[in-house]
Amino acid sequence: MSSAAEQEAVAGHQATGNGRQAAAADGVRRPAPPPMVSAWPGAATPLGARFRVGPDGVAGTNFALWAGGAEGVELCLFDEAGKESRARLTELTHEIWHGFVPGVLPGRRYGYRVHGRWDPWTGARWNPAKLLLDPYARAVDGDFGLPPEVYGHVRDWPQQHVADTVRDDRDSASYVPKGVVVHDDDDWSDDRRPKTPWADSVIYELHVKGFTALHPGIPEELRGTYAGLAHPAAIEHLVRLGVTAVELLPVHQFAHEDHLLRRSLGNYWGYNSIGYFAPHAAYAASGTRGEQVGEFKRMVRALHAAGIEVILDVVYNHTAEAGELGPTLSLKGIDNRGYYRLQDDPRRYADYTGCGNTLHVVQPQVLRLITDSLRYWVTEMGVDGFRFDLAAALARSMHDVDMLSPFLAVIAQDPVLRRVKLIAEPWDVGSGGYQVGAFPPLWTEWNDRYRDAVRDFWRHALPDVREMGYRLSGSSDLYAWGGRRPYASVNFVTAHDGFTLRDLVSYERKHNEANGEGNRDGTNDNRAWNCGTEGETDDEAITALRRRQLRNLLTTLLLSTGVPMLVAGDELGRTQRGNNNAYCQDNEISWVDWGLLEDPGWHALFELTSRLIALRHRHPVLRRRAFFSGRAQTADGLRDLAWFTSRGTEMTEQDWYAPAATLGMYLSGRDIPGRDERGAQILDDSFLAVLHAGEGPVSFELPGPPWAERYEVVVDTSLEEQGEAPGVEHRAGAEITMPGRAVLLLRVAG
């Protein structure tokens, strides 16, 4: 059927009733229309629902909704029994529908019905039968299931290729969550933000529920919640470990995808946002009628009091409404063409995210939604920064990624946002979306080239050591431009997406059968080595080798220049049983197993990680604020950074290209650029790190003067349990034996 013929057939069908409409004509009684309440004019700003005192001292709530092409907006209010009443918002200012409703107090639930043309062929998808969540709702009550009633189109239409064009007139109000009016008069005067400099930061990526769900020190009723993360038992672990910031997997209100619900699963990670101002209600122990807002704030305060910053992983690139066959939950029914990028055929969505839709960030109202949300989380919720999922999608202008795009330009000049931590996941799934190293100053980036190089080095898969040289020293090839610094690189070996650290040395293939997708989901490019056996084993030699590899990976990460990021549980040997895409596993597969701390071997791994972080905090040479020059600064020829072969000689150009599994890195504490807070020169110890990824032992000659006279061993990953620093001394020029697959960190003595 041609496009014109399809439109004509659907139009004819809807003119005679679509089956559900026809039923009413056959005598089925419809419910009585809900009672109407009056709305005063109110104000067009701020957007959202704001409780305040109105004219004549009357308390109520001002409601304001941007709905650019709409023909009318109804505010729907729900009482405790769920009974609906409505108020027409008749005031329209700059495409914002607004009104003040007296007597609406905090805790009241609400939503919108937006009237307009139903014409999916031109991208218009207004359907007043669908109750819509306010994009600015600061709390959400209820869960998003996805029955047919929440779809704007007839989901089970026989001709599926045009199903999205057939309007469904069933009321969705009983099946969708509601926004909640929240009163916020918190000025944060009692809070002290840590304001940790970027160079001093150590990030710990965690899931609010997964980190707390099994913690024995957290009361059972608080596990899996913001209150659980604020509990002293949770914070004690973070403080003992020494991290300076937690990066929370998405805590914006999100919904589960239909294909997961049909398999009795859900979106555990939360990368399916639908409410950019609301803390996800399922993580609240105190209630969902606005209590989740206060609980989140108390969590932030508790972490700040412990010196720990809070960074949110945010998903502004797409929403939970998916593509044209997805549900109508909020933006799609408010103004589909105004909020989403559409293709040349406006029935279809441009999808740079792999999730069905992409927010149209070039549109002023969409840019306003995102920046208002970001400022809200900083100023009213107390957070310290953001990690932007698929940030390249936000940086697209009309089609191509553009580092002068409106989104990046607005962030750069915003007096609130330019002062917080900004982390880009510098890619999306669209053409030209891979942008590692391309984001402008102010931004740091997840550096996947660091991840790949370190993984390849320790599985002995690099042809030479050139890539490792760049990654260990701050990735100057990617970031030494435009005033950027080494801390523009967020270094990581693992993240939520992929194998855990333990699985990286225990599996070579993904084992995602529990996801119900035939093990087709998740990447096949794991760059993993199972040390000789796939999965868990009782072989003591393989177990010992795996634990050594874990020590090698963690030591490499925490000695590298840049900002290290750990994943919750990696310091304990957490496993996902080979699942490298546990996005739908809200169970023990994903949760941190705190019982691992009772195992002496895994406890030793935690102690080593904590000691390495403490070493990093003590020594500014390990967290430089400027790139190395590699040039001699003094007459004796000592440089701030030098590279050595196993022969104890400085590496030549030829050495960088030669096959090798051993690399020596010398960091001079005498040549650290910058000054301390009092203007004094920064001086530190000097270190020599020797990394050997070969299977067998190798002789390594320790460099002599001017580099050192003596060396003291600080870390030796060949030892099963590190305990305190080994403390063994070697004279310069001595030939030592590096065991197979080990890191040796030596401090220049004297």
Side-chain angles (χ1 to χ4, degrees):
M1 192 187 303
S2 70
S3 177
E6 288 173 343
Q7 295 183 53
E8 184 177 349
V10 170
H13 163 79
Q14 291 182 322
T16 59
N18 66 9
R20 310 183 200 289
Q21 295 167 317
D26 290 340
V28 177
R29 293 185 62 185
R30 289 189 178 276
M36 302 299 293
V37 298
S38 62
W40 300 352
T45 57
L47 291 169
R50 292 291 177 129
F51 172 75
R52 63 179 175 84
V53 176
D56 301 323
V58 176
T61 299
N62 191 83
F63 295 90
L65 176 75
W66 183 91
E71 296 171 1
V73 172
E74 289 180 302
L75 169 68
C76 305
L77 300 167
F78 297 86
D79 64 16
E80 290 298 318
K83 185 178 179 181
E84 179 182 353
S85 58
R86 298 182 188 177
R88 292 190 182 90
L89 301 184
T90 58
E91 300 296 322
L92 181 60
T93 305
H94 304 310
E95 301 185 316
I96 296 171
W97 300 79
H98 56 91
F100 177 86
V101 184
V104 174
L105 305 180
R108 190 73 175 270
R109 297 178 300 158
Y110 73 100
Y112 291 107
R113 298 180 187 275
V114 181
H115 297 258
R117 290 185 306 113
W118 174 262
D119 186 13
W121 307 96
T122 63
R125 293 182 179 270
W126 285 286
N127 185 344
K130 308 306 167 183
L131 186 76
L132 305 174
L133 183 68
D134 179 4
Y136 280 73
R138 293 186 292 161
V140 176
D141 178 60
D143 295 321
F144 280 102
L146 294 179
E149 287 83 357
V150 307
Y151 290 77
H153 64 280
V154 180
R155 187 180 178 195
D156 56 355
W157 187 249
Q159 286 126 354
Q160 278 291 296
H161 66 290
V162 292
D164 69 289
T165 68
V166 184
R167 192 179 69 198
D168 187 305
D169 290 327
R170 289 176 291 185
D171 195 308
S172 69
S174 300
Y175 306 95
V176 293
K178 282 77 177 173
V180 180
V181 176
V182 175
H183 181 43
D184 187 0
D185 57 358
D186 195 336
D187 63 3
W188 287 88
S189 60
D190 60 338
D191 181 65
R192 296 293 179 267
R193 294 177 184 262
K195 297 183 180 180
T196 308
W198 257 125
D200 300 340
S201 297
V202 178
I203 297 173
Y204 189 75
E205 187 193 45
L206 67 82
H207 188 286
V208 169
K209 183 174 183 179
F211 185 75
T212 60
L214 299 176
H215 198 300
I218 299 174
E220 190 169 350
E221 65 274 14
L222 300 183
R223 295 175 190 173
T225 69
Y226 306 118
L229 184 54
H231 191 273
I235 292 178
E236 179 189 13
H237 181 82
L238 300 172
V239 172
R240 286 181 59 202
L241 189 58
V243 298
T244 68
V246 291
E247 182 176 304
L248 306 182
L249 266 68
V251 296
H252 289 166
Q253 186 69 41
F254 62 85
H256 303 294
E257 293 92 331
D258 176 68
H259 69 93
L260 292 177
L261 294 173
R262 283 188 274 110
R263 298 202 301 272
S264 299
L265 297 170
N267 190 318
Y268 169 69
W269 286 348
Y271 290 92
N272 206 37
S273 299
I274 195 62
Y276 290 131
F277 290 76
H280 189 60
Y283 300 155
S286 53
T288 60
R289 295 291 185 91
E291 296 91 348
Q292 61 265 56
V293 177
E295 184 176 331
F296 185 93
K297 293 178 180 181
R298 291 189 292 274
M299 177 197 74
V300 172
R301 279 187 167 87
L303 288 164
H304 282 179
I308 298 169
E309 294 184 306
V310 178
I311 298 171
L312 302 187
D313 196 334
V314 290
V315 189
Y316 294 111
N317 54 77
H318 75 281
T319 76
E321 293 185 299
E324 59 269 15
L325 295 176
T328 298
L329 307 175
S330 182
L331 306 181
K332 184 180 290 186
I334 294 171
D335 191 333
N336 185 58
R337 295 178 298 190
Y339 278 108
Y340 291 115
R341 289 180 180 267
L342 304 180
Q343 297 183 23
D344 293 337
D345 174 1
R347 265 184 67 193
R348 314 297 183 190
Y349 292 77
D351 184 8
Y352 297 113
T353 66
C355 300
N357 64 56
T358 307
L359 281 180
H360 201 347
V361 182
V362 174
Q363 296 279 18
Q365 66 277 3
V366 181
L367 193 58
R368 179 180 180 181
L369 171 68
I370 295 173
T371 53
D372 282 354
S373 168
L374 292 168
R375 282 189 293 269
Y376 172 76
W377 286 96
V378 173
T379 60
E380 298 192 45
M381 300 295 273
V383 307
D384 305 285
F386 306 94
R387 178 264 187 189
F388 292 82
D389 180 64
L390 300 183
L394 298 172
R396 290 183 181 271
S397 290
M398 294 312 295
H399 298 288
D400 296 334
V401 178
D402 178 7
M403 291 305 159
L404 298 176
S405 66
F407 172 74
L408 294 177
V410 166
I411 296 290
Q413 61 77 46
D414 190 285
V416 172
L417 302 180
R418 69 188 182 202
R419 295 165 63 182
V420 302
K421 287 183 165 66
L422 303 171
I423 306 171
E425 183 183 36
W427 51 78
D428 65 19
V429 301
S431 175
Y434 186 76
Q435 295 288 324
V436 172
F439 275 71
L442 292 183
W443 288 82
T444 65
E445 301 175 15
W446 271 24
N447 187 351
D448 67 328
R449 291 196 43 189
Y450 178 94
R451 175 200 64 198
D452 293 348
V454 171
R455 289 186 179 193
D456 282 346
F457 178 79
W458 285 112
R459 67 189 183 107
H460 201 4
L462 286 178
D464 50 52
V465 293
R466 282 177 295 156
E467 188 78 2
M468 276 297 284
Y470 277 122
R471 305 305 148 234
L472 290 169
S473 59
S475 297
S476 60
D477 58 326
L478 300 175
Y479 301 111
W481 63 273
R484 302 186 83 183
R485 299 297 183 92
Y487 47 77
S489 176
V490 174
N491 298 331
F492 66 103
V493 179
T494 57
H496 66 275
D497 188 1
F499 281 149
T500 66
L501 203 65
R502 177 175 170 181
D503 288 355
L504 192 65
V505 300
S506 305
Y507 298 88
E508 292 184 7
R509 302 183 304 277
K510 64 188 181 185
H511 296 267
N512 300 353
E513 289 80 9
N515 297 354
E517 300 178 39
N519 205 34
R520 294 184 299 273
D521 62 304
T523 182
N524 293 313
D525 183 20
N526 294 296
R527 300 173 187 248
W529 179 50
N530 63 20
C531 299
T533 297
E534 185 74 0
E536 297 300 316
T537 179
D538 294 327
D539 188 306
E540 292 183 1
I542 291 178
T543 298
L545 175 57
R546 287 175 175 175
R547 294 197 179 189
R548 181 184 296 190
Q549 286 288 78
L550 290 177
R551 295 193 293 272
N552 291 336
L553 290 162
L554 283 168
T555 302
T556 303
L557 174 65
L558 291 167
L559 294 181
S560 298
T561 300
V563 178
M565 184 185 78
L566 298 164
V567 177
D570 273 355
E571 75 279 13
L572 311 176
R574 182 177 76 88
T575 177
Q576 292 180 171
R577 307 170 200 164
N579 192 320
N580 76 350
N581 189 36
Y583 77 106
C584 56
Q585 297 300 322
D586 187 3
N587 50 49
E588 288 83 355
I589 291 176
S590 296
W591 301 343
V592 174
D593 178 5
W594 294 98
L596 292 167
L597 273 175
E598 305 302 316
D599 181 302
W602 297 124
H603 190 272
L605 185 68
F606 167 77
E607 293 295 340
L608 173 64
T609 308
S610 179
R611 191 161 66 86
L612 287 166
I613 293 174
L615 186 75
R616 185 180 183 91
H617 288 324
R618 286 197 306 271
H619 293 285
V621 73
L622 299 177
R623 44 187 173 83
R624 287 172 56 102
R625 289 164 166 75
F627 287 105
F628 297 96
S629 71
R631 296 188 295 272
Q633 305 293 327
T634 57
D636 61 9
L638 192 70
R639 290 189 292 282
D640 58 358
L641 174 68
W643 303 97
F644 291 90
T645 69
S646 60
R647 302 182 302 276
T649 58
E650 288 192 68
M651 292 186 67
T652 64
E653 185 76 9
Q654 184 177 1
D655 291 326
W656 283 110
Y657 286 85
T662 309
L663 182 64
M665 178 177 67
Y666 183 95
L667 304 172
S668 172
R670 206 173 70 181
D671 302 297
I672 302 174
R675 302 185 177 216
D676 66 16
E677 293 177 348
R678 293 180 173 84
Q681 181 183 358
I682 299 174
L683 295 174
D684 194 12
D685 292 330
S686 297
F687 291 90
L688 175 67
V690 182
L691 294 80
H692 174 52
E695 179 180 0
V698 65
S699 294
F700 190 95
E701 184 176 328
L702 298 175
W707 310 104
E709 297 287 346
R710 290 177 295 115
Y711 296 92
E712 177 190 12
V713 176
V714 178
V715 174
D716 182 350
T717 64
S718 69
L719 304 179
E720 176 63 27
E721 295 186 20
Q722 288 285 312
E724 292 302 313
V728 175
E729 285 200 3
H730 299 282
R731 62 175 176 80
E735 192 170 284
I736 62 172
T737 299
M738 282 289 299
R741 299 191 177 95
V743 179
L744 194 64
L745 179 67
L746 306 107
R747 178 168 39 224
V748 173

